[in-house]
Amino acid sequence: MTSQAALKSVAAAVSERDMANAIRALAMDSVQKANSGHPGMPMGMADVATVLFSRFIDIDPSTPDWPDRDRFVLSAGHGSMLQYALHYLLGYEDMPIEQLQRFRQLGSRTAGHPEYGHALGIETTTGPLGQGISTAVGMALAERMLAARHGADLVDHFTYVIAGDGCLQEGISHEAIDLAGHLKLSRLIVLWDDNAISIDGPTSLSTSMDQPARFTAAGWHVQSVDGHDTEAVAAAIEAAQQSDRPSLIACRTVIGKGAPNLGGSEKTHGAPLGDAEITATRQNIGWSHAPFEVPDDILFAWREIAGRGQAARHAWQQRLAASPRREAFESAVAGKLAEAVFEALGAFRKEHVEKATKVATRKASEMALGAINAATELTVGGSADLTHSNLTITRGMNRIAPDDYTGRYIHYGIREHGMAAAMNGIALHGGFVPYGGTFLCFADYARGAMRLSALMGQRVVYVMTHDSIGLGEDGPTHQPVEHLAMLRATPNLNVFRPADIIETAECWELALKSENRPSVLVLSRQNLPMLRQAHSNENRSSQGAYILREPAGHRAVTLIATGSEVEIAVAAAERLEAEHGIAAAVVSMPCWELFEEQDVDYRKSVLGSAPRIAVEAAARLGWDRWIGDTGAFVGMAGFGASAPAPDLYRHFDITPEAVAAAALKLII
């Protein structure tokens, strides 16, 4: 058995070319065994990745989540075998060679694309192109914000991204690079795999974009290098680290580097090389070892890198132990909101029940946020250029600006895609609870990142106002109809549509307490009356739905509504009782997802056995789950129109009279 001393001596002679070839071999062998995957990018970027990890990046596989580690984001997530090969070579305990041998197989950690939470050291889920680089912008921003609060002795790390042509072609990347350049996020370094190949063939088939010029125009520091010249790559990274701007390093590479017949071709992009080409590649790169076999000296050279990261972590822990800000820093990174936040919300609810406050729920959200933001420094707000429509800023929230990251409010600009992805990055980085606003209709633009929020289980709060035809004159382009159904169909996403100021405060409380799930607050433009009769310490929205109005006699019909339509349901119930002697219960259902989580007995007690009518100014899709085959629906059957809100509700027959008529039809 080779001694450690002997291995160390031999490893010192291992070249970065040998280390890079280990990545190439593991990538092509894993894809071949799975008969599925993308070997070309890992083989082409192996040299760049080797330089980055062997000379620069500070990570510690033994403690992969220490707060001041460098972040690595594989934005070109289809090249996941690059990351898995690195993790095996670096010695992550959950990435033995057997995981590489089970690439893309059920239950393995080596999923087709890197999945946050599936394996140690994966900072974010990537795969949908453009999301990785855009999420990394949020991480880099969080690093600067956390450093502004706690000092460079505790927070001073880089966010490194490997991105491909697809990442840069996706529209979200434009929003991300523009925001990063504007904010001068100098700890963000993007290594672009400039191989001029996409799945269809040469990128010249579909683009003539001068990407370096594009990044330069956005305010980035830009360099171009031969991605297979390790010294040139290293010099470029060193220069990027010294820049006062975010950096792009365009690394000209050969996709499938090392494959003698297929290298440089789209044929290596998304398919195994095949046995013959793998044999030829082994000979071409001088790799005589069996599949999944890495010689001890090369493996030891990679494991030495982990030792450097461990030393960096130990030095940081010593600084943390001596820092007067230790307690505040650890509290921020843990993300635990103080009980004072929820006490403030309780007092807020009591105050406004007593006042019977009538406001739009977007205004109610602003008022609740005033209490929240005064009680904690962890919340960080923003809006996609709709601050004074979404009402997401509160007293004392200074804005984040280039070279000044001490504030708590981010002007994301007209960038819904980029805002949502950046909020994911802020949440993943740690230290803050992000929320951001736009109109509900523009959830379409934010959708890709919202889905990843749910997939990764991140506490991101989406404040989406102008939630129905109630926004009025802006018309059908701005009036969401199908959006609630789309959001409710998303797993692990709480969709809150509160009916009044009290439910709004309750929904904010629930969103903040949902540490492993994103939330959407769907809020009205029009004023809504307060519907609660008395204050309760209980958060009634926490069960998703509850009986707001229970008739004295036997229940003849149940009216179920959300948001602004709860007021209509209450008026309909009063009409039914006064004019027809019909006992109607009203159920407010602010969150379907939480109601689904309640036990059967509770759901039955709320819904009852009487015929049911759902009332919501949106599409019917999904409501049959609650109203059954014999239930009725009062809502939208198509798109909206441009007119004042009261006229629209009458035009589309979403009125107390229509609800009462539907009830009479059901029960008489």
Side-chain angles (χ1 to χ4, degrees), residues 189-241:
I189 299 175
V190 175
L191 300 139
W192 169 34
D193 180 17
D194 180 17
N195 60 36
I197 293 291
S198 61
I199 289 176
D200 280 359
T203 53
S204 59
L205 291 171
S206 59
T207 181
S208 301
M209 176 68 70
D210 183 339
Q211 292 289 0
R214 175 186 172 215
F215 277 78
T216 299
W220 286 53
H221 175 252
V222 176
Q223 304 170 82
S224 297
V225 298
D226 177 348
H228 303 301
D229 181 340
T230 55
E231 295 307 318
V233 171
I237 295 174
E238 287 177 354
Q241 288 182 334

Side-chain angles (χ1 to χ4, degrees), residues 432-489:
F432 304 99
V433 179
Y435 69 87
T438 187
F439 291 171
L440 178 60
C441 196
F442 303 139
D444 288 335
Y445 288 170
R447 166 67 179 160
M450 293 177 76
R451 185 173 187 269
L452 290 183
S453 300
L455 188 60
M456 295 187 288
Q458 293 302 299
R459 180 172 51 182
V460 177
V461 183
Y462 297 93
V463 180
M464 299 206 159
T465 68
H466 296 61
D467 67 337
S468 71
I469 58 171
L471 66 88
E473 292 85 347
D474 273 340
T477 60
H478 283 53
Q479 291 166 5
V481 174
E482 73 277 24
H483 298 75
L484 283 169
M486 174 266 288
L487 293 170
R488 287 167 176 160

Side-chain angles (χ1 to χ4, degrees), residues 23 48 92 146 206 218 258 267 269 438 445 461 473 482 528 586:
I23 296 174
V48 173
Y92 281 84
L146 208 60
S206 59
K267 293 179 181 178
H269 193 297
T438 187
Y445 288 170
V461 183
E473 292 85 347
E482 73 277 24
L528 301 176
V586 176

Side-chain angles (χ1 to χ4, degrees), residues 129-131 133-134 167 169-177 417-418 421 449:
L129 293 176
Q131 288 290 337
I133 186 174
S134 306
C167 299
Q169 287 184 34
E170 289 287 357
I172 190 173
S173 74
H174 175 77
E175 298 184 4
I177 69 168
H417 304 72

